[in-house]
Amino acid sequence: MKLVVLERNSVGTDIDVSCFEKFGEVTYYPNTVAENTAERVTDADIIIANKAPLNENTLKDAPHVKLICLFATGFDNVDLNYCKSRGIKVANVINYCTPAVAQHTLMLALMLTEKAAFYDSYVKSGTYSAQDRFSNFDRPFNDLEGKTWGIVGMGTIGRKVAGLAQAFGCRVIFYSASGKSSCTDYERVELETLLKESDILSLHCPLSDRTRGLINKEAFAQMKETAILINVARGPVVDTQALYDALITNQIAAAGLDVLEKEPMTRDNPLAKIQDSTRLIITPHMAWASTESRNNLVGEVCKNIAAFLEGEERNIVNP
């Protein structure tokens, strides 16, 4: 059995991935892009990947592939129909990073609500030491308690965030991006209501035709001027130019992003112009990547492979 790990470094070099070696001969590549995917999978029986494109163009000369395992929940980089036509099973990993993403969501919301970047800089710059009073609260900040926290996507992560928000005393409402949510623990509303009533709006939905560009110019026009947007879902759920315009015209108060339309961030992204971290915080697609989550991820991929070799379908997304 030959296994090829196309993006070994995508889980971090601090994480042990030797569990794959019990299944056969393993070839590791630190990273793989579209241009070199095909040549690297030619002899593979099992491919382990993250973002590398796996489609007819990259798989047509790989006759032995039986299984593709993803270091991810999303599988938009894989042509499922082509794989199904070839009898290639595709397995993802679910719920491996829920605590980490929920924690990151709260971190972004709290930093922006408390204007933590301003006060940290205030102290470290020496300005605090130079003043004659014991405190400083020149930039007003607010309690979370009593605020309305809106959520798009009430899946596992959305529910975790909802529980944390509720623990802070927030009223939680949500919009079902798929229209199929069975959640009855929180108030379900239409998108227009969610936009108008949310003090904090966090996004936890998958990217689909229904959610691409969901938070756009029209959406920002309906939000409160005091609202904070948090996106830890997928970058294209938010229209980048519309967000930039909303921030510089004070249509909303602030935004915290862990994902962008194009990653890594391009130099021409207008959001790069906003240097005020009380208005905008951007982290480099890391919400999922706590040490615990990355260990979970590798372990789950190993379980997917073991199950497949035993004739079981575990986390198969193209049955």
Side-chain angles (χ1 to χ4, degrees), residues 32-269:
T32 297
V33 295
E35 291 74 17
N36 52 27
T37 300
E39 64 186 76
R40 293 180 175 183
V41 301
T42 303
D43 297 324
D45 296 293
I46 296 174
I47 299 170
I48 302 167
N50 191 324
K51 302 295 184 187
L54 296 166
N55 49 43
E56 183 174 6
N57 187 50
T58 57
L59 296 172
K60 63 184 179 181
D61 296 321
H64 308 298
V65 178
K66 305 174 184 66
L67 176 68
I68 294 171
C69 285
L70 295 167
F71 277 144
T73 300
F75 43 83
D76 49 295
N77 59 312
V78 182
D79 185 334
L80 297 184
N81 290 329
Y82 174 74
C83 288
K84 191 166 186 176
S85 73
R86 285 269 310 271
I88 301 170
K89 296 296 184 180
V90 180
N92 71 343
V93 178
I94 59 173
N95 301 334
Y96 68 93
C97 61
T98 298
V101 178
Q103 175 177 296
H104 200 84
T105 303
L106 265 291
M107 180 274 291
L108 291 172
L110 288 167
M111 284 195 69
L112 292 166
T113 299
E114 293 270 353
K115 296 185 171 58
F118 169 79
Y119 288 108
D120 180 61
S121 177
Y122 186 86
V123 172
K124 290 177 178 175
S125 69
T127 308
Y128 180 47
S129 298
Q131 73 175 40
D132 58 4
R133 55 193 172 109
F134 77 94
S135 185
N136 182 282
F137 40 87
D138 289 347
R139 291 278 187 97
F141 54 94
N142 304 100
D143 294 338
L144 284 181
E145 186 167 345
K147 300 298 188 294
T148 296
W149 190 305
I151 292 175
V152 177
M154 192 58 86
T156 305
I157 294 173
R159 287 173 186 253
K160 183 73 171 180
V161 171
L164 295 172
Q166 200 169 53
F168 274 93
C170 293
R171 168 200 175 214
V172 175
I173 59 176
F174 79 97
Y175 167 71
S176 173
S178 67
K180 301 175 182 178
S181 176
S182 60
C183 178
T184 57
D185 296 330
Y186 303 99
E187 181 184 355
R188 180 174 170 178
V189 298
E190 294 302 317
L191 181 60
E192 181 179 358
T193 301
L194 188 88
L195 294 169
K196 289 181 176 179
E197 296 189 7
S198 295
D199 296 295
I200 295 174
L201 175 59
S202 62
L203 310 179
H204 308 286
C205 54
L207 180 62
S208 68
D209 291 340
R210 291 174 64 96
T211 61
R212 187 179 297 274
L214 182 71
I215 308 301
N216 54 20
K217 180 179 179 180
E218 291 72 24
F220 286 118
Q222 297 178 70
M223 292 174 67
K224 296 180 180 182
E225 292 183 357
T226 54
I228 295 172
L229 173 71
I230 308 293
N231 187 10
V232 294
R234 288 291 183 265
V237 175
V238 177
D239 182 311
T240 300
Q241 186 63 50
L243 173 57
Y244 173 77
D245 293 340
L247 287 169
I248 64 171
T249 60
N250 298 313
Q251 278 189 302
I252 64 170
L257 312 175
D258 185 56
V259 289
L260 297 163
E261 282 195 82
K262 293 182 180 179
E263 296 171 346
M265 189 177 191
T266 56
R267 295 183 185 277
D268 62 350
N269 189 316

Side-chain angles (χ1 to χ4, degrees), residues 236-306:
V237 175
V238 177
D239 182 311
T240 300
Q241 186 63 50
L243 173 57
Y244 173 77
D245 293 340
L247 287 169
I248 64 171
T249 60
N250 298 313
Q251 278 189 302
I252 64 170
L257 312 175
D258 185 56
V259 289
L260 297 163
E261 282 195 82
K262 293 182 180 179
E263 296 171 346
M265 189 177 191
T266 56
R267 295 183 185 277
D268 62 350
N269 189 316
L271 296 174
K273 301 175 187 176
I274 301 176
Q275 297 294 305
D276 182 354
S277 294
T278 67
R279 301 293 313 286
L280 176 65
I281 297 174
I282 303 176
T283 52
H285 204 144
M286 55 171 280
W288 65 277
S290 68
T291 301
E292 292 85 353
S293 293
R294 289 180 289 123
N295 275 314
N296 290 341
L297 177 59
V298 171
E300 287 295 303
V301 171
C302 284
K303 291 177 183 177
N304 286 343
I305 295 172

